[in-house]
Structures are given as structure tokens and as C-alpha cells.
Amino acid sequence: MVITAQQEALVVSSWNEMKDDAPTFALKFFLRLFEIIPSAAKRFSFLRDSTLPLEKNPKLKAHAMGVFVMTCEAATQLRKTGKVNVGANTSVQHLASVHFKAGVADVHFEVLKFALLETIKEAVPYLWSEELKEAWSESYDHLVVAIKNEM
Ligand code: HEM
């Protein structure tokens, strides 16, 4: 198995601590991505067309939340089946096509991972450890590799 039962448990238990404020944390890691790579915001059609401040944009929050939830769920899928399953409403091929057409690049995925891990560290400092970091990293990496393999 690519993820151990202990890694899955670390992801799920920290998620349970964060889930009530998950949309806020998710938005935070995307804003961090845009701080580091401001041009990444231009990849989103709904940000190019919007006059709303980034932090008030409901579509940005929804995308950010999608990334957070899918990363968390990947831990369980990987442990159970060894593979990522992005759910019944979409497919890895579709996600690859959307991200490819939007010009999302490796560096965006890399910096988003850094921002995700930083945000988790700040959200649950009392749970933070190298093992927790590794568990979320593994989950995220497998999800992103699955998408990038189809891009
Ligand atoms: C769209 C997931 C990382 C930019 C989407 C959608 C999902 C998704 C579910 C909606 C697809 C649809 O239209 O049906 C993910 C996951 C990620 C990830 C799981 C990482 C694990 C990123 C990153 C960027 C990004 C790093 C960088 C800027 C976009 C853009 C769209 C999109 C531009 C199209 C939005 C639009 O203009 O309508 N993503 N995403 N995504 N994502 Fe991501």
C-alpha cells in the first residue's frame, strides 16, 4: 500500500480537528499560493472576470475547499485501494484536461503543496510532526501525480 494505516489515521484525525474551519484554511493556502506566485490567480477564469477581492470570491473558496477535501479523501482511497479516486462527479482525466487548458504548471502544484502544509502546521500546531507532514504530503503527491499523468 502506498499509504499506511497510521498515515491515513494522521490525515483523518487532523482533518477532524480542522474541518469546522476548513473553508477558511483552504482559502488561506490559496492566498498563500497567490502571494508567492501572483500570476497563478490569472489561471482562474472567474478571477480574471471578477472585481471581488480574492478572499471574498465564493468560487475560489469552493476550488480551495475541493483541493483540501480531495487531498484528505485520497489518504483513505490510497490505503484501501492503492489508487486515487476523485469521486463520482468527476474524473482524473477531466481534472487533467481542465488544468492543462488553464495553463496550470508543475510549479503551481509544488507551491500549493508548500502552502497547504504551512497552513496545516499553523492550524493544528499541537498535532504537527514530521509524520503528519509526510502523511499529508504523500496524499497530495499521489493526487497530483494522478492528475499530472493525464495532462
Ligand atoms: C479547476 C481540483 C490544483 C487551478 C479545478 C476543479 C477541480 C480542481 C475539482 C473543477 C473542475 C471542473 O471544472 O469540473 C484541483 C485539485 C488540485 C488542484 C484536486 C490539487 C491537488 C490546482 C492548482 C491550480 C489550479 C495548483 C493553480 C493555479 C485550477 C483552475 C481551474 C481548476 C484554473 C479552472 C477554473 C475555472 O477557470 O473555471 N481544480 N485543483 N488547480 N483548477 Fe484546480
Side-chain angles (χ1 to χ4, degrees):
M1 281 302 146
V2 286
I3 284 237
T4 64
Q6 196 207 354
Q7 285 179 313
E8 182 200 4
L10 285 170
V11 169
V12 172
S13 58
S14 53
W15 169 258
N16 284 336
E17 290 288 306
M18 295 184 282
K19 68 178 179 212
D20 290 347
D21 290 320
T24 306
F25 295 135
L27 189 59
K28 196 169 166 187
F29 64 71
F30 258 90
L31 294 177
R32 193 78 212 277
L33 164 67
F34 298 155
E35 253 170 52
I36 300 170
I37 314 181
S39 61
K42 298 210 172 65
R43 304 285 121 229
F44 291 90
S45 55
F46 51 78
L47 295 182
R48 287 195 296 272
D49 306 340
S50 169
T51 50
L52 278 177
L54 288 177
E55 65 279 8
K56 296 238 157 59
N57 194 301
K59 289 188 177 169
L60 178 62
K61 205 178 231 188
H63 178 271
M65 200 38 200
V67 172
F68 206 8
V69 170
M70 284 165 120
T71 307
C72 175
E73 289 178 345
T76 300
Q77 294 149 9
L78 286 160
R79 216 254 319 141
K80 280 196 183 140
T81 68
K83 283 196 302 207
V84 168
N85 175 345
V86 291
N89 297 325
T90 188
S91 67
V92 172
Q93 288 78 7
H94 173 71
L95 291 184
S97 157
V98 168
H99 289 91
F100 180 74
K101 283 188 195 138
V104 179
D106 285 0
V107 67
H108 297 127
F109 286 111
E110 269 306 306
V111 173
L112 187 62
K113 176 180 170 183
F114 164 80
L116 167 75
L117 295 172
E118 283 281 306
T119 304
I120 296 172
K121 184 179 179 181
E122 285 166 20
V124 285
Y126 50 95
L127 294 180
W128 188 252
S129 65
E130 267 310 301
E131 289 74 22
L132 184 71
K133 181 180 173 186
E134 262 313 293
W136 277 95
S137 292
E138 284 283 322
S139 230
Y140 180 87
D141 286 346
H142 283 285
L143 175 58
V144 167
V145 164
I147 297 172
K148 286 207 302 197
N149 279 348
E150 299 291 334
M151 273 169 89

